[in-house]
Amino acid sequence: MSNIRSTYKSLDTEEWLDIHFTRPLGYMWALLFKALHIHPNVVTIISIFLGILAGLMFMYSDLCHNLLGVLFLVWANIYDSCDGQLARMTGKKTKWGRILDGFAGDVWFFFIYLAIVIRTFHDTIPGTSVEWQWIIFFICLISGVVFHARQCQLADYYRNIHLYFLPGTTNELHSSAIEQKRLDETPHEGNFWWRIFLRSYVSYTRTQERLTPRFQELTGYIHNQYNGIVPADFRSEFRRQSLPLMKYANIITFNCRAIILYIAFLTDEPWLYPVMEMTVLAAIAAYLRKRHETMCTVLLEKLKNTNY
């Protein structure tokens, strides 16, 4: 068990389902891939194809195809866990890997939203005789581009913020300014795809920063007053207040939304997923953001008035 735990980012940010299911299976796959000298990025690419297969299976309404869709998506998620575990196990952590990992989830859900549209297009809206048709297309478009993207960006950022203040953890809290500088310094020749990925990552980190203005003020003050070195006592205080919020960040990440997906497809009501994403998950994300921003405001004032 201690060997598996060494491949976690931290126990503070791990979900119950991951600890008891995804991580153990991912660890076994990671041991196999390590023995075969397979790079973590290859595992991520395999997970992309598994996620695409899941979406293709969900396009059918029969139980057999939908169970296969669940299987492929679970498998894709295990590999999504495995690639990070393998990277930490072998020391092969790369910027490509982090960007590719986020891209993988986007590809999975593109095909999942496509499956929802295809499955629902000619179904009638519950309680009416009107077909969904383009209504479901626009619902999925808005749900995916606005709600899904923002919820995942927030959850990822808040977990990385928490890790940033934990001693002995790897810092994956990246600045859009630094990533933009990296992009600007990357030659155009021979780096076409790398520059596309970097441009996407700059946009990703910039959105995260726009959504968290109070946290940006807090880190700016730490940078200016403490030269970027977080006082140990303040680290402990931040962790104490941030830890209860991690459960909300976990709710709006993969496991909870995957369970909603499985229920929606297996009950042949795929429209339920984007509706839940735009209502229940959106409300949780808004609550999390408000709590976190308030916490950062209070902690900044405390930092200014306390001699750490």
Side-chain angles (χ1 to χ4, degrees):
M1 187 65 179
S2 60
N3 290 335
I4 298 177
R5 288 189 176 184
S6 68
T7 64
Y8 295 173
K9 287 185 177 181
S10 83
L11 278 175
D12 280 7
T13 55
E14 291 291 336
E15 300 178 61
W16 183 90
L17 190 59
D18 286 337
I19 290 173
H20 297 283
F21 178 73
T22 311
R23 293 300 191 195
L25 291 176
Y27 181 74
M28 288 190 287
W29 278 106
L31 290 175
L32 175 62
F33 289 136
K34 180 183 178 184
L36 295 174
H37 304 289
I38 293 175
H39 197 278
N41 291 354
V42 175
V43 180
T44 307
I45 292 170
I46 296 172
S47 81
I48 291 174
F49 286 103
L50 288 169
I52 291 172
L53 281 173
L56 294 175
M57 293 300 102
F58 287 138
M59 291 179 185
Y60 298 89
S61 58
D62 62 280
L63 183 61
C64 182
H65 278 95
N66 280 264
L67 288 174
L68 283 173
V70 171
L71 174 64
F72 283 131
L73 194 54
V74 169
W75 194 356
N77 188 46
I78 290 170
Y79 274 16
D80 184 57
S81 172
C82 170
D83 60 12
Q85 290 173 285
L86 181 62
R88 286 184 282 276
M89 192 184 293
T90 59
K92 295 178 179 178
K93 297 177 68 175
T94 65
K95 178 71 71 174
W96 263 109
R98 174 158 173 77
I99 296 174
L100 192 63
D101 189 60
F103 176 72
D106 292 340
V107 174
W108 299 356
F109 276 91
F110 172 82
F111 280 89
I112 286 168
Y113 287 120
L114 183 61
I116 293 171
V117 172
I118 290 172
R119 281 271 294 274
T120 311
F121 199 81
H122 291 296
D123 289 348
T124 56
I125 299 173
T128 75
S129 58
V130 180
E131 291 187 353
W132 282 98
Q133 295 197 4
W134 291 102
I135 296 173
I136 194 64
F137 171 80
F138 286 112
I139 286 176
C140 285
L141 182 65
I142 295 169
S143 184
V145 174
V146 179
F147 289 88
H148 177 94
R150 182 164 294 191
Q151 290 163 19
C152 292
Q153 286 168 343
L154 272 177
D156 179 57
Y157 199 47
Y158 286 147
R159 293 203 291 194
N160 283 329
I161 286 171
H162 189 81
L163 292 172
Y164 174 75
F165 286 95
L166 282 183
T169 57
T170 302
N171 177 22
E172 294 185 1
L173 191 65
H174 299 149
S175 159
S176 64
I178 293 175
E179 298 307 319
Q180 181 65 54
K181 186 173 183 291
R182 190 193 306 273
L183 173 62
D184 294 339
E185 293 174 350
T186 301
H188 285 77
E189 187 175 351
N191 291 294
F192 177 77
W193 290 110
W194 177 232
R195 284 182 59 83
I196 286 178
F197 272 103
L198 278 180
R199 190 173 290 110
S200 172
Y201 195 59
V202 168
S203 176
Y204 181 82
T205 53
R206 191 168 287 149
T207 300
Q208 289 177 320
E209 290 166 359
R210 280 200 302 266
L211 290 170
T212 55
R214 301 288 83 79
F215 174 71
Q216 304 310 316
E217 289 182 20
L218 176 61
T219 52
Y221 185 84
I222 291 171
H223 177 77
N224 292 329
Q225 298 297 320
Y226 295 91
N227 200 28
I229 300 173
V230 184
D233 290 346
F234 185 77
R235 281 184 182 273
S236 299
E237 178 67 13
F238 191 97
R239 176 184 179 271
R240 184 185 68 79
Q241 295 197 35
S242 172
L243 186 58
L245 302 183
M246 289 303 98
K247 60 178 175 289
Y248 301 110
N250 289 339
I251 288 172
I252 60 174
T253 49
F254 180 79
N255 287 331
C256 184
R257 66 180 65 243
I259 291 170
I260 297 170
L261 264 174
Y262 301 151
I263 293 171
F265 280 117
L266 291 173
T267 58
D268 199 22
E269 302 289 353
W271 57 269
L272 275 172
Y273 175 73
V275 169
M276 289 288 288
E277 190 167 60
M278 295 169 69
T279 55
V280 176
L281 295 183
I284 294 171
Y287 176 74
L288 168 62
R289 185 183 177 210
K290 186 177 187 305
R291 283 276 305 270
H292 200 278
E293 287 288 276
T294 301
M295 178 190 77
C296 289
T297 300
V298 172
L299 286 175
L300 176 58
E301 288 304 310
K302 187 171 183 179
L303 190 62
K304 289 178 177 179
N305 299 320
T306 305
N307 184 24
Y308 280 102

